[in-house]
Amino acid sequence: MASEFAHRPVLLQESIGYLNLKPGGVVVDGTLGGGGHAEAILEGIAPNGLLVGFDLDPDALAAATERLVGFGDRVRTVNASFRDLVPCLAELGIEGVDGVLLDLGVSSFQLDTAGRGFRFGGTAEETAATPLDMRMDPTRGETAADLLRRASEARLQETFQNYGELPGSKRLARAIVEARREAPLETAADLLRVIQEARVGGGRRHHPATRVFQALRIAVNDELGALREGLDAAVTVLRPGGRVVVISYHSMEDRVVKNHFRDAAKGCTCPPRTPVCVCGGSVTLKVVTRRPVVPADEESAANPRARSAHLRAAERVAAGGATA
Ligand SMILES: C[S@@+](CC[C@H](N)C(=O)[O-])C[C@H]1O[C@@H](n2cnc3c(N)ncnc32)[C@H](O)[C@@H]1O
């Protein structure tokens, strides 16, 4: 499996630097993937640090386990979402950690495996053989085909609008509802046909299907909900001085991270003119990256997946820490 699992870690040096690793540290990689970041983390916390790697995808866990076998019992893997960090770490008897990395989205391996249904490229035969699945964990939950079959027209429109910022969301939702009266949409080819018939655009930089597939993937995996809960969980499990580092790949994710860090660094989130704080919020994070860190030109040239990457980092402050 590991030999087939091609995924080049994005912003590797930068994420390791911002995690501020120390020998003997306990670090969570919430998105283990092929284990590229995890390997560098394990080297950074050598000789006795512990890495706990989460992934929803059993194939990713198998590939990463094989890659990291040389680190022995310094690696623990968990087949769960990073949104469940708190109970999963408690089950392992781990009370606090020094770092949390979230490298969001799908791996190149998932994108390139046609059977997973994340991509729409290829020949007519290939797209006709690509099921509309898109689950990170292919053993659980609703597939994209299920969603396209069951969702109301209004929910479809909201999905394309909110998660794909798609011009023509309404038109596409209507076209899907009409098409599925004839036959369910089961493959990438079925969906591509409807996208073409509805004549929705992807903007000048994208294939029209890019935003549609992105929106469905985000909805199927509740990616933004998982991210919000994962960030809350990271704050709960980090020890003071510990760092959370997040690499996101589209503006919706980056916005969630930016706003979460900003609110956690401010503490009180009451509206500006509220005379006395009623939210009871306290400062939990200090933002380390004022602006998102983006890949150097050489990395973007060598790895197209890196082009949209934005890294943000924040540090856990002790309870009652000063307002930033
Ligand atoms: C971009 S890849 C990570 C690549 C990894 N950093 C590496 O160096 O190989 C993202 C991985 O996170 C997993 N993933 C996405 N959302 C997740 C979630 N909520 N919980 C756990 N794993 C998740 C995906 O299955 C995928 O394997």
Side-chain angles (χ1 to χ4, degrees):
M1 174 64 64
S3 51
E4 301 160 27
F5 198 108
H7 180 88
R8 201 187 297 208
V10 172
L11 288 167
L12 182 62
Q13 295 314 323
E14 294 83 346
S15 46
I16 297 304
Y18 279 108
L19 279 169
N20 200 19
L21 302 172
K22 304 266 175 0
V26 180
V27 176
V28 168
D29 182 343
T31 50
L32 198 52
H37 284 98
E39 188 173 67
I41 292 170
L42 278 155
E43 281 156 8
I45 55 177
N48 54 346
L50 177 72
L51 177 110
V52 187
F54 286 68
D55 208 295
L56 277 167
D57 184 344
D59 288 346
L61 279 187
T65 303
E66 201 179 317
R67 176 172 187 161
L68 304 175
V69 71
F71 294 96
D73 61 6
R74 290 178 50 214
V75 181
R76 310 289 289 272
T77 57
V78 186
N79 185 200
S81 170
F82 56 66
R83 75 197 309 167
D84 296 321
L85 267 186
V86 176
C88 291
L89 289 180
E91 220 167 279
L92 294 173
I94 295 170
E95 280 173 12
V97 305
D98 304 296
V100 175
L101 173 69
L102 301 179
D103 176 22
L104 301 171
V106 283
S107 65
S108 309
F109 173 75
Q110 289 166 325
L111 273 177
D112 293 343
T113 306
R116 302 295 298 270
F118 288 113
R119 67 170 190 174
F120 54 83
T123 62
E125 289 77 32
E126 281 163 350
T127 57
T130 300
L132 289 168
D133 189 318
M134 303 197 195
R135 292 168 298 170
M136 303 268 183
D137 176 351
T139 66
R140 270 177 280 200
E142 187 182 54
T143 66
D146 294 334
L147 190 153
L148 290 171
R149 188 167 50 243
R150 294 198 201 122
S152 65
E153 188 174 323
R155 179 168 171 223
L156 288 170
Q157 183 191 337
E158 267 169 37
T159 301
F160 299 131
Q161 181 60 49
N162 297 346
Y163 301 150
E165 294 173 334
L166 179 80
S169 299
K170 196 177 165 73
R171 219 164 47 243
L172 181 61
R174 169 142 322 152
I176 288 170
V177 169
E178 273 165 22
R180 74 187 182 192
R181 285 200 191 105
E182 304 295 319
L185 307 180
E186 302 280 8
T187 67
D190 295 339
L191 182 55
L192 286 168
R193 200 168 42 246
V194 181
I195 293 169
Q196 204 177 13
E197 280 163 15
R199 281 192 270 124
V200 292
R204 254 176 294 157
R205 287 175 55 217
H206 298 289
H207 185 287
T210 306
R211 288 162 185 260
V212 178
F213 274 66
Q214 173 187 292
L216 285 172
R217 199 197 82 202
I218 293 175
V220 162
N221 296 290
D222 184 23
E223 289 180 30
L224 300 181
L227 176 56
R228 286 189 195 95
E229 288 178 27
L231 291 169
D232 281 338
V235 169
T236 305
V237 299
L238 277 173
R239 298 182 178 125
R243 297 259 178 106
V244 51
V245 173
V246 187
I247 307 172
S248 59
Y249 293 89
H250 55 76
S251 57
M252 281 162 284
E253 280 175 347
D254 185 53
R255 212 174 300 138
V256 170
V257 181
K258 183 174 87 177
N259 292 344
H260 195 284
F261 284 3
R262 185 201 56 209
D263 290 350
K266 216 164 49 167
C268 169
T269 53
C270 293
R273 293 218 180 84
T274 314
V276 182
C277 170
V278 288
C279 75
S282 61
V283 176
T284 52
L285 291 177
K286 181 177 83 183
V287 177
V288 179
T289 46
R290 284 276 153 226
R291 289 169 185 282
V293 176
V294 297
D297 293 345
E298 301 80 58
E299 181 175 2
S300 295
N303 181 8
R305 223 190 90 78
R307 281 181 202 151
S308 55
H310 283 58
L311 177 152
R312 292 184 188 266
E315 185 169 302
R316 182 75 165 98
V317 296
T323 303

